[in-house]
């Protein structure tokens, strides 16, 4: 077993900083190299996070023989091409969410990872958080009976700026792909693929969704109501109504938080406090998968990623959003 996994990061913006902090305490992992389009940014990022090498281009990092795995932290529109390039250089990849712009891109990414037998995973970090794993186990245990309905929202007020990632269509802007993916992921993780998807959205002048209201319908009348918005701050909680109680993932449900369980005779809130930021868990998981020689995660496998991408495509088609 390989002892130390050497990480590289490309695209040194907001999330790359948070991820680097989460990676620091992971055992048998080191932030070895970072790459930016701007060498000054690479130098200051590497100083801040103690990386050994700073590159002023992404391709230089991909060519570095010492790098085992690359975390892609650029805007969504670049995820597909960069993943393909990294895998062609034999590098394992952890790719930020949304994994790709659509199912077609995601399928090409999965195909090359399988062909080259190189590890690839979607960075939907929520999956690895202790409170989320606890909720999945609680639901699947059947203690509270079956799920009757679910609702989840994610909203914040974003300052409108045509040029920035959130609103710029050419950078993959829009609330669905940026934050709506979390309620979608939650519903999928709890209830699986819906039989019907209904969705409505309000659009910005840049042609991306400012908000997105989604309903997933399942057999036996089970429904999930999901919502994302850049127009206002919303509670950002998830509530799962069950036959014999209710599970609430408190605000903000997609990141480390507490969980309230209401059953017929009691109500309790469990805190899932942690010493490090939540990105630790996905970084730790990928490190372990690579040490074990896996080419796919055994928790967030690529079939799940393709299901999520398929759902996002169904929603985009319902609201009339296309990035092509
Ligand atoms: N998991 C999470 O919690 C989470 C949270 C926020 C965002 N994300 C995801 O992470 C990705 C990046 O988001 P972010 O908020 O970190 O964005 P950001 O702050 O704008 O950073 C993105 C970085 O990508 C690089 N980049 C390459 N080409 C670019 C271009 N044409 N325009 C702008 N940037 C470009 C830049 O790095 P260099 O200049 O260094 O090359 C930039 O700093 C998105 O896909 C987003 O959905 C995930």
């Amino acid at each position: 077993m390989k002892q130390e996994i050497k990480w590289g990061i490309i695209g040194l913006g907001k999330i790359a900083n948070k991820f680097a902090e989460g990676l620091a305490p992971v055992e048998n992992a080191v932030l070895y190299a970072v790459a930016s389009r701007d060498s000054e940014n690479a130098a200051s990022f590497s100083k801040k996070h103690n990386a050994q090498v700073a590159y002023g281009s992404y391709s230089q990092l991909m060519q570095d023989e010492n790098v085992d795995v690359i975390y892609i932290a650029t805007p969504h529109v670049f995820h597909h091409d960069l993943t393909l390039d990294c895998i062609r250089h034999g590098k394992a990849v952890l790719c930020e969410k949304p994994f790709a712009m659509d199912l077609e891109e995601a399928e090409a990414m999965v195909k090359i990872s399988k062909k080259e037998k190189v590890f690839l995973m979607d960075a939907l970090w929520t999956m690895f958080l202790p409170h989320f794993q606890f909720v999945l186990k609680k639901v699947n245990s059947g203690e509270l009976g079956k799920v009757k309905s679910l609702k989840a929202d994610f909203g914040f007020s974003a300052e409108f700026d045509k040029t920035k990632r959130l609103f710029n269509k050419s950078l993959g802007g829009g609330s669905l792909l940026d934050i709506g993916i979390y309620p979608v992921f939650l519903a999928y993780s709890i209830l699986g693929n819906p039989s019907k998807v209904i969705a409505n959205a309000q659009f910005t002048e840049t042609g991306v969704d400012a908000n997105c209201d989604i309903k997933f319908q399942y057999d036996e009348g089970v429904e999930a109501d999901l919502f994302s918005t850049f127009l206002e701050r919303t509670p950002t909680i998830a509530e799962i109504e069950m036959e014999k109680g209710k599970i609430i993932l408190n605000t903000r449900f997609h990141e480390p938080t507490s969980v309230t369980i209401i059953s017929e005779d009691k109500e309790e809130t469990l805190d899932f406090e942690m010493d490090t930021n939540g990105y630790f868990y996905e970084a730790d998981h990928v490190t372990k998968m690579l040490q074990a020689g896996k080419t796919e995660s055994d928790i967030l496998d690529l079939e799940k990623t393709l299901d999520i991408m398929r759902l996002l495509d169904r929603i985009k088609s319902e609201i009339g959003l296309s990035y092509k």
Side-chain angles (χ1 to χ4, degrees):
M1 183 167 83
K2 190 167 178 185
Q3 264 312 301
E4 187 181 67
I5 299 297
K6 288 191 168 59
W7 282 79
I9 303 181
I10 60 183
L12 307 179
K14 279 197 226 79
I15 195 61
N17 270 286
K18 288 196 192 164
F19 181 82
E21 283 166 21
L23 176 64
V26 175
E27 267 184 47
N28 299 321
V30 63
L31 177 57
Y32 171 75
V34 295
S36 170
R37 297 164 302 168
D38 167 358
S39 47
E40 275 179 30
N41 188 29
S44 68
F45 189 101
S46 84
K47 197 166 165 214
K48 182 171 168 200
H49 296 286
N50 296 315
Q52 293 174 38
V53 192
Y55 289 117
S57 88
Y58 299 165
S59 66
Q60 279 179 302
L61 188 147
M62 290 180 205
Q63 284 161 33
D64 184 327
E65 285 183 358
N66 294 314
V67 172
D68 297 308
V69 52
I70 298 179
Y71 167 59
I72 297 175
T74 63
H76 335 324
V77 286
F78 307 113
H79 292 175
H80 165 269
D81 287 6
L82 289 171
T83 295
L84 262 49
D85 272 359
C86 289
I87 292 181
R88 283 190 192 114
H89 284 87
K91 306 301 184 197
V93 170
L94 171 63
C95 180
E96 253 315 332
K97 45 63 46 182
F99 188 67
M101 290 306 293
D102 55 33
L103 180 65
E104 192 183 347
E105 284 191 358
E107 281 175 337
M109 293 154 75
V110 169
K111 192 172 166 193
I112 190 166
S113 137
K114 294 204 189 267
K115 180 167 171 267
E116 302 294 331
K117 299 187 177 54
V118 172
F119 182 90
L120 174 61
M121 195 182 96
D122 186 347
L124 259 171
W125 63 305
T126 306
M127 183 60 144
F128 304 94
L129 297 176
H131 80 285
F132 196 78
Q133 283 296 320
F134 168 83
V135 167
L136 292 184
K137 279 200 192 94
K138 191 83 182 170
V139 171
N140 293 333
S141 74
E143 269 171 66
L144 296 173
K146 289 191 198 162
V147 176
K148 293 198 309 188
S149 67
L150 177 157
K151 61 179 180 186
D153 67 281
F154 193 152
F156 62 90
S157 172
E159 195 186 331
F160 183 72
D161 182 338
K162 288 179 188 183
T163 62
K164 290 272 162 64
R165 185 176 76 69
L166 296 186
F167 295 100
N168 184 335
K169 196 167 186 183
S170 66
L171 290 178
S175 82
L176 173 66
L177 294 188
D178 196 58
I179 51 178
I181 188 170
Y182 288 105
V184 167
F185 173 67
L186 179 107
Y188 168 76
S189 300
I190 304 278
L191 290 165
N193 284 308
S195 42
K196 189 160 185 203
V197 173
I198 302 161
N200 292 292
Q202 249 178 289
F203 282 81
T204 64
E205 64 184 62
T206 51
V208 300
D209 60 299
N211 66 19
C212 190
D213 200 351
I214 307 156
K215 190 185 277 296
F216 285 174
Q217 291 180 333
Y218 299 85
D219 296 343
E220 296 171 19
V222 175
E223 288 188 341
D225 284 301
L226 315 169
F227 183 63
S228 61
T229 181
F230 286 156
L231 300 178
E232 59 182 329
R233 188 177 172 85
T234 66
T236 310
I237 63 172
E239 294 187 347
I240 307 164
E241 283 289 348
M242 318 249 331
E243 285 169 326
K244 292 187 247 169
K246 184 173 180 171
I247 301 175
I248 305 170
L249 289 82
N250 295 305
T251 185
R252 297 191 309 164
F253 77 86
H254 74 296
E255 60 186 16
T257 185
S258 62
V259 174
T260 302
I261 313 277
I262 304 167
S263 57
E264 278 155 354
D265 51 359
K266 68 172 179 180
E267 172 171 337
E268 60 174 337
T269 295
L270 302 158
D271 247 319
F272 290 84
E273 290 205 356
M274 48 187 64
D275 306 334
T276 176
N277 80 24
Y279 301 97
F280 166 84
Y281 291 93
E282 65 174 352
D284 186 51
H285 175 72
V286 172
T287 300
K288 288 185 173 128
M289 290 289 101
L290 294 175
Q291 285 184 311
K294 305 266 184 189
T295 55
E296 194 169 341
S297 164
D298 56 13
I299 295 182
L300 183 55
D301 58 57
L302 294 165
E303 267 317 303
K304 291 193 181 83
T305 292
L306 292 178
D307 278 346
I308 301 288
M309 291 309 309
R310 203 171 284 116
L311 281 171
L312 294 173
D313 275 8
R314 283 170 77 181
I315 298 164
K316 281 189 279 160
S317 131
E318 275 285 301
I319 63 176
L321 175 60
S322 167
Y323 291 90
K324 289 199 163 143

